[in-house]
Structures are given as C-alpha cells and as structure tokens.
C-alpha cells in the first residue's frame, strides 16, 4: 500500500519495452513536435507506468515521475544503465520489471538472473525506496509454449524476492484478462493500449490507489475467427515480426539501439483520464 496522505512523491520506472510502454501509442499535445521527431527519441509510447503515474497524481498533490525504461534491454543493461540514475534521484517509489528479454535467449539461467535482480532490489530498499516488482503473464501458446517453464521459474524467484525484501508484487500471472488476444499488439510480444490500461489499474489496485474502472472487467464477446484468417495472421506475424527479431539476434542488434529514455528526469505529472 502507498501513503496517499503525503504532499509529494517521486516515482521512477525502470525496465524494458513493457515499462517504456511499447504498444500503447502516445497522444501528442499541440506544439509538441511531429511523430517523426518523437520516434527519434523513443517517445511515441505512453504505457502502464505513465498511466499509473497519472492515477497517482489524482490523489497526491505533487507527483514527480521519471521513466528510464528502454525497449530491448537485458537485465544487466537495465541495472548498469538505469539503476545509478534512479538511485541519484532518491525516489520514494520505484517499479522494476526486467529479465524477460534475457529469458527469450538460449541458455538463460532464471536463477542467476533472479540473483542479480535481488541485489538491485536490496540496494533500492537500503536507500529507503518502496519497490514494486512484477511477474509475467501466464501465456502457454505459440512460441511461449516452449519457454513457459523457464519464465515460470524466474517469476517464482521474483515472488520470493518480493517476500524477502518487503517489496510489493504485481501478479500478472493470475490476470486471466491478459490472456485475451486483444490485450496484445499484432507482434504478440507487447501489450496493446488496453493491456497497458489494465496493468495500470492492477498496479493501482495492488498499491491501494483508488480507481473508477476495474482491471478485471470482462472483455466483450469477440467475433469468431475462421481457420484461414488465423493462418493468414500467423504468416504475416512471421514475416513482419518473427524474422526481423531473429535477424536482430543473429546480428547482435537490439530494438533499443539508439533509443533514449523517454522521461529521463523526474518531472511533475498532470492527472489525466487513464
């Protein structure tokens, strides 16, 4: 739970594409430049962390928020590049979600990754930060079927880290609403805007931040999809997303190469509809 009676709170979000908000396009305000300019600095996305910060700002008079997350980053990169800056900001609240990109790679060891994560969490806790950790979503279809055991082991570790360090755990594993295809973008890897909205509501629910809407609101009935349409979508996914992803892995490139954090310094947040 978070103290909503305070006058000011500094919140810093750390992680990869999930926390950057990939899949949830930002609505640009007049005078903020073009989408091409935003794409150059990685600022095209809103995401659950932005939405959560806006919820906080509805209840705390002064919320300052930084988001250092960058798509494609491995856990060691998040800890090396983002942690020092976060510690220097002396935040009251830190959300940290990383390790998923590591687990997609051959030979990843979920126990070793968890040990790295725990050391980072303890540094934050020792400085007096409240820390929020996350499990992933329990999806056992497609390419995730082969990797599910590895991810499950890592997230069991994350749950234990939260217990041992007195951190808060947002349990996406139990969020059955996120297993609906509409919670995901067409790349099948990043959440859609609706998925991000529901995660923000779940974070609020976990931390005791009041909201009008519920994260577990049932989805409306979906239109049926015939076999031919589904296979055509599979083929497009392979060509547009899977093969380019494999190409980046083979060449040592990352989707985050050259992308800078969208919100590198804590700035005040306006309360907006989320």
């Amino acid at each position: 739970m978070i103290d909503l009676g305070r006058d000011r709170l500094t919140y810093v979000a750390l992680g990869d594409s999930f926390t950057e908000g990939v899949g949830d396009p930002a609505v640009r305000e007049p005078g903020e430049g073009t989408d091409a300019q935003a794409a150059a600095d990685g600022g095209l996305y809103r995401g659950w962390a932005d939405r959560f910060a806006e919820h906080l700002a509805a209840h705390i008079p002064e919320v300052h928020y930084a988001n250092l997350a960058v798509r494609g980053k491995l856990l060691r990169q998040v800890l090396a590049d983002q942690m020092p800056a976060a510690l220097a900001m002396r935040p009251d609240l830190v959300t940290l979600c990383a390790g998923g990109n590591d687990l997609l790679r051959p030979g990843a060891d979920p126990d070793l990754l968890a040990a790295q994560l725990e050391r980072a969490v303890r540094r934050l806790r020792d400085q007096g930060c409240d820390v929020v950790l996350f499990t992933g979503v329990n999806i056992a279809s497609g390419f995730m079927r082969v990797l599910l055991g590895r991810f499950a082991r890592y997230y069991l570790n994350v749950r234990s880290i939260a217990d041992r360090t007195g951190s808060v755990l947002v349990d996406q594993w139990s969020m059955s609403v996120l297993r609906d295809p509409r919670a995901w973008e067409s790349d099948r890897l990043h959440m859609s805007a609706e998925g991000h909205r529901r995660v923000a509501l779940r974070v609020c629910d976990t931390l005791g931040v009041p909201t009008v809407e519920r994260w577990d609101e049932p989805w409306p009935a979906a239109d049926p999809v015939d076999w031919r349409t589904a296979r055509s979508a599979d083929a497009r996914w392979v060509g547009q997303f899977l093969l380019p992803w494999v190409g980046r892995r083979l060449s040592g490139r990352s989707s985050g190469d050259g992308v800078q954090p969208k919100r590198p310094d804590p700035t005040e947040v306006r309360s907006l509809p989320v």
Side-chain angles (χ1 to χ4, degrees):
M1 306 295 283
I2 195 166
D3 177 15
L4 298 178
R6 65 175 72 206
D7 294 325
R8 176 189 173 106
L9 179 140
T10 298
Y11 163 43
V12 178
L14 308 178
D16 51 30
S17 58
F18 169 63
T19 301
E20 185 187 345
V22 174
D24 184 9
V27 177
R28 297 183 63 73
E29 298 291 334
E32 285 189 339
T34 66
D35 283 351
Q37 290 170 331
D41 63 16
L44 272 178
Y45 298 107
R46 188 183 183 193
W48 69 264
D50 287 23
R51 293 168 178 269
F52 167 62
E54 291 158 6
H55 274 299
L56 281 176
H59 300 281
I60 297 175
E62 195 172 335
V63 173
H64 292 256
Y65 163 53
N67 189 320
L68 307 182
V70 174
R71 67 198 76 165
K73 295 303 181 183
L74 302 174
L75 176 60
R76 59 176 172 76
Q77 295 172 315
V78 170
L79 301 184
D81 299 340
Q82 300 174 26
M83 273 283 292
L87 289 166
M89 295 172 192
R90 304 201 67 82
D92 305 293
L93 176 67
V94 172
T95 56
L96 173 56
C97 185
N101 289 320
D102 300 79
L103 295 168
L104 290 171
R105 287 161 168 75
D109 186 324
D111 296 326
L112 291 178
L113 289 171
Q116 295 176 51
L117 179 68
E118 181 162 2
R119 288 193 291 272
V121 172
R122 290 192 181 279
R123 287 185 65 192
L124 292 165
R125 295 291 289 145
D126 287 346
Q127 187 169 288
C129 305
D130 289 326
V131 177
V132 179
L133 302 174
F134 296 77
T135 68
V137 182
N138 182 11
I139 294 180
S141 59
F143 68 93
M144 281 300 298
R145 185 181 296 112
V146 177
L147 300 173
L148 186 63
R150 181 188 296 175
F151 276 82
R153 186 177 184 90
Y154 180 65
Y155 293 128
L156 283 172
N157 275 312
V158 172
R159 185 180 297 274
S160 297
I161 292 168
D163 289 342
R164 288 194 295 269
T165 62
S167 301
V168 175
L169 182 73
V170 175
D171 184 13
Q172 295 184 100
W173 198 265
S174 65
M175 293 177 67
S176 59
V177 292
L178 295 183
R179 294 199 288 272
D180 189 289
R182 288 168 289 185
W184 299 88
E185 272 296 282
S186 55
D187 64 4
R188 306 181 185 181
L189 186 62
H190 298 106
M191 286 185 183
S192 64
E194 178 62 14
H196 280 283
R197 187 186 72 85
R198 288 176 182 261
V199 170
L201 291 170
R202 181 61 187 269
V203 177
C204 287
D205 186 50
T206 303
L207 290 175
V209 179
T211 60
V212 175
E213 298 168 303
R214 291 187 55 83
W215 62 265
D216 55 356
E217 184 71 25
W219 291 87
D223 295 330
V225 178
D226 62 72
W227 183 89
R228 187 182 300 275
T229 300
R231 299 296 74 76
S232 177
D234 290 342
R236 286 196 302 273
W237 174 76
V238 169
Q240 293 178 12
F241 302 108
L242 179 59
L243 292 180
W245 182 85
V246 171
R248 289 196 299 273
R249 297 289 78 74
L250 293 175
S251 63
R253 293 178 290 117
S254 167
S255 58
D257 290 347
V259 176
Q260 299 300 312
K262 66 180 182 180
R263 199 173 180 124
D265 301 302
T267 54
E268 192 164 359
V269 179
R270 290 177 298 171
S271 173
L272 297 175
V274 295

